[in-house]
Amino acid sequence: MVYLQLDELEKFAKKNHIPIMQKEGINFLTDYIKKNNIKDILEIGSAIGYSAIKMALVCDDINITTIEKDRNMFNLAIENIKNFNLENRINIILNDALEIDLKNKYDLIFIDAAKSQYIKFFEKFNKNLKRGGTVISDNLSFHGLVEDDSKTKNRNTKQLVKKIRKYIEFLRNNENYITTFYTLGDGIAVSIKKAN
Ligand code: SAH
Ligand code: MG
């Protein structure tokens, strides 16, 4: 039953060009959550709630806070979360992530929102990550353009590619984290906060 519902979400996203996580990426993310016994998750960028639902389904004592700034997406996410009876475990906030202040600390922060703002998200929510916790960032390949941007002539796209490259450098040079980059899905970084 749940599988059917998930399938419908994937189809809906595809049809409406909503950039939910790709199969490989979401499998990597849920495996990571399982293996590392992650329980408290903060997500930036809910869209229709697909990845939040997938993460919550890993284990029934996982709790998720997810932030979405677009009201239409937010409304769809609310509906989908209710359909999965996950409203007690997924707390969705309608706001720009850069405008809110959270007090809780999380085991995992999943960044999957506006690619131009990743450094800002990372710096802002660092204080909400437990020691030894993980930040996972999605879309660092940006359809392969980060590795080779000759495939686009669009100035805005090129600008965005520059920002993503900057973020990758930022992660590489961040002494408080150890980052590993994975080329699966649309490019994923796993940054583990040092326990000092
Ligand atoms: N994580 C989702 C996909 C998210 S798509 C999944 O895999 O299922 C990216 C979403 O981030 C979009 O819905 C967009 O509206 C939202 N977003 C972009 N910038 C944001 C910001 N500053 N604060 C909150 N949400 C943001
Ligand atoms: Mg993404």
Side-chain angles (χ1 to χ4, degrees):
M1 189 55 196
V2 163
Y3 291 103
L4 251 178
Q5 288 179 3
L6 283 169
D7 198 48
E8 274 164 26
L9 286 190
E10 287 160 11
K11 280 189 191 141
F12 178 88
K14 195 164 188 193
K15 194 168 158 215
N16 295 284
H17 308 288
I18 299 161
I20 63 167
M21 268 211 124
Q22 302 175 5
K23 272 255 152 59
E24 243 190 358
I26 195 71
N27 289 343
F28 177 87
L29 184 62
T30 51
D31 280 352
Y32 190 90
I33 290 167
K34 206 178 290 171
K35 278 187 197 139
N36 294 280
N37 205 26
I38 281 164
K39 298 299 172 195
D40 294 303
I41 302 170
L42 172 65
E43 174 181 68
I44 304 167
S46 331
I48 60 172
Y50 174 75
S51 52
I53 290 166
K54 287 283 281 189
M55 292 191 284
L57 291 175
V58 168
C59 189
D60 61 16
D61 61 353
I62 288 173
N63 286 293
I64 301 172
T65 295
T66 181
I67 311 168
E68 175 54 55
K69 71 172 182 186
D70 181 285
R71 184 177 290 277
N72 292 329
M73 288 297 156
F74 172 82
N75 287 337
L76 288 167
I78 291 265
E79 200 177 303
N80 291 329
I81 291 163
K82 274 198 190 130
N83 277 337
F84 282 85
N85 294 313
L86 289 170
E87 60 267 40
N88 295 329
R89 296 201 287 118
I90 301 177
N91 167 32
I92 177 162
I93 300 168
L94 173 62
N95 210 330
D96 186 323
L98 295 174
E99 297 296 322
I100 60 170
D101 191 42
L102 298 176
K103 298 276 178 270
N104 287 350
K105 291 207 178 224
Y106 301 88
D107 304 308
L108 170 70
I109 299 179
F110 174 45
I111 304 179
D112 192 20
K115 290 181 267 295
S116 56
Q117 315 256 32
Y118 273 22
I119 293 182
K120 282 188 187 153
F121 296 139
F122 193 103
E123 287 186 321
K124 176 176 177 123
F125 293 104
N126 172 47
K127 72 168 171 51
N128 298 99
L129 187 66
K130 293 178 193 170
R131 280 187 201 170
T134 306
V135 178
I136 294 186
S137 314
D138 189 33
N139 303 107
L140 299 190
S141 167
F142 194 22
H143 316 296
L145 290 171
V146 173
E147 294 83 0
D148 175 13
D149 69 353
S150 68
K151 290 181 223 155
T152 180
K153 296 265 174 293
N154 184 295
R155 276 190 62 194
N156 291 336
T157 309
K158 279 200 191 287
Q159 221 30 53
L160 212 46
V161 167
K162 242 189 203 164
K163 289 246 166 107
I164 299 170
R165 285 181 181 154
K166 242 192 179 157
Y167 181 62
I168 291 170
E169 270 322 290
F170 165 84
L171 292 179
R172 280 213 177 98
N173 297 328
N174 195 323
E175 290 178 355
N176 301 315
Y177 286 80
I178 295 169
T179 296
T180 312
F181 296 91
Y182 296 88
T183 54
L184 46 87
D186 192 32
I188 289 172
V190 176
S191 309
I192 299 173
K193 192 175 189 171
K194 292 182 189 168
N196 54 23

